[in-house]
Amino acid sequence: MTTKIHLACDGKGCPLAFTITPGQQHDCTQLQALLDSICVPRFGKERHRKRPDHLIADRGYSYPFCRRLLLKRGIPHTIPERKNQAERRSKKPSRPLSFILQ
């Protein structure tokens, strides 16, 4: 048995939140829990920051569920496509992905 550590960090590499799961559990199932556990304290009486300015993730998070979750929360993201997504999109006549802003 193995384990995975799902980590959210800031632009300088400092950890903000993490979850630990069994190794066989898929990455995309932990995105919501990981985003919910982010809490960056602010100075003064302001509320803690819960939403990142931008999210960068690997292909393990390139699923419609993850993209909808980020869109719903208004979090811009950079997530590379999986190979089968690019193939599926190439069969449909539409705008190239490079013109779609998220």
Side-chain angles (χ1 to χ4, degrees):
M1 299 300 285
T2 61
T3 57
K4 283 186 184 178
I5 299 173
H6 307 271
L7 179 69
C9 61
D10 65 7
K12 296 178 182 176
C14 296
L16 299 175
F18 70 95
T19 58
I20 299 174
T21 60
Q24 67 272 17
Q25 191 163 8
H26 200 276
D27 294 340
C28 73
T29 61
Q30 297 305 305
L31 181 61
Q32 186 169 2
L34 193 60
L35 290 174
D36 289 341
S37 62
I38 293 175
C39 182
V40 179
R42 292 187 179 174
F43 298 106
K45 294 184 179 184
E46 294 184 32
R47 292 186 314 164
H48 296 308
R49 185 169 178 186
K50 302 288 286 179
R51 189 173 75 81
D53 290 332
H54 194 88
L55 180 112
I56 299 174
D58 64 5
R59 286 184 177 94
Y61 296 93
S62 180
Y63 285 88
F65 166 77
C66 295
R67 294 181 187 272
R68 279 192 305 268
L69 176 69
L70 295 169
L71 183 64
K72 179 179 160 186
R73 292 182 181 212
I75 301 172
H77 60 276
T78 303
I79 302 174
E81 287 187 309
R82 295 184 327 271
K83 186 177 179 182
N84 65 347
Q85 285 177 318
E87 290 171 357
R88 191 177 317 130
R89 194 182 71 252
S90 68
K91 294 177 184 176
K92 295 180 181 178
S94 64
R95 292 191 312 182
L97 186 63
S98 61
F99 292 106
I100 299 173
L101 299 175
Q102 298 176 348

